Amino acid sequence: MKTFYAGLCRLEAIVAGTFLVLMVILIFLGGVARMMGHPMNWTIDISTCLFSWACFLCADIAWRNNGLMSIELLTDRLPQRLQRFCQYCNHLIISGFLVYVIVAGIWLSWISRARAFHGIPEVSYSWVTMSMPVGGALLLATTILKIRSDLQVHRQRAAQI
């Protein structure tokens, strides 16, 4: 299972990076084409889709690597037990929100399945909205693994005492 997750993390980083690069290329290409008198409006639409997916994938990568902003001014002054309690409460709140994001994202994808993507009538808008539940599921998996890791560290410290 660890090798599967490690492979998933590598794939996620590759896809997120590729989407970000493609997004920049498409926006640049669209700008150059418009300047030359041949606008390519679909480039902005595809870039929007890629941006949606890249946002969720990059958020998961940042969360996994503890790269998200955090304000620990108050919690760092608390006793160790209370710090741990705040951390677990924070992870539970995040988990609850992510479950909501997954459920709402699946519902949104379902109701938008017949809606055509902006400039491309053959493509369903669900391709964009599916980034929400997929990204939420990846973030939830990372959060659960963080909780599990924190519990293991706490058990090891307790066993040493």
Side-chain angles (χ1 to χ4, degrees), residues 6 61 70 76 92 142 146:
I61 293 167
S70 64
D76 281 349
L92 289 176
T142 300
K146 281 181 167 290

Side-chain angles (χ1 to χ4, degrees), residues 11-79:
L11 178 66
E12 182 181 34
I14 291 168
V15 170
T18 303
F19 283 0
L20 288 171
V21 169
L22 282 174
M23 184 179 64
V24 170
I25 290 170
L26 286 171
I27 290 171
F28 181 75
L29 180 66
V32 170
R34 183 176 301 275
M35 191 174 68
M36 294 175 66
H38 300 288
M40 298 168 52
N41 295 332
W42 59 269
T43 60
I44 299 300
D45 298 330
I46 298 297
S47 295
T48 302
C49 178
L50 295 174
F51 179 73
S52 175
W53 280 92
C55 281
F56 280 105
L57 296 176
C58 290
D60 184 44
I61 293 167
W63 181 230
R64 188 179 325 108
N65 295 320
N66 296 320
L68 295 177
M69 181 184 81
S70 64
I71 301 172
E72 298 168 343
L73 182 67
L74 179 65
T75 56
D76 281 349
R77 299 170 196 263
L78 296 174

Side-chain angles (χ1 to χ4, degrees), residues 62-156:
W63 181 230
R64 188 179 325 108
N65 295 320
N66 296 320
L68 295 177
M69 181 184 81
S70 64
I71 301 172
E72 298 168 343
L73 182 67
L74 179 65
T75 56
D76 281 349
R77 299 170 196 263
L78 296 174
Q80 190 68 25
R81 283 183 92 155
L82 206 49
Q83 284 182 19
R84 241 185 359 265
F85 177 76
C86 287
Q87 187 174 10
Y88 290 138
C89 285
N90 188 27
H91 287 331
L92 289 176
I93 291 169
I94 290 169
S95 297
F97 175 73
L98 289 172
V99 167
Y100 173 76
V101 164
I102 293 166
V103 171
I106 290 169
W107 177 77
L108 184 62
S109 296
W110 178 255
I111 64 168
S112 65
R113 71 189 183 283
R115 178 180 169 193
F117 192 61
H118 296 286
I120 312 162
E122 297 86 22
V123 178
S124 171
Y125 196 71
S126 289
W127 284 103
V128 177
T129 56
M130 275 306 291
S131 65
M132 192 169 147
V134 171
L138 290 169
L139 285 161
L140 183 61
T142 300
T143 304
I144 290 169
L145 290 172
K146 281 181 167 290
I147 293 170
R148 184 176 155 213
S149 174
D150 290 345
L151 288 171
Q152 287 175 345
V153 167
H154 176 66
R155 285 187 195 129
Q156 287 173 353

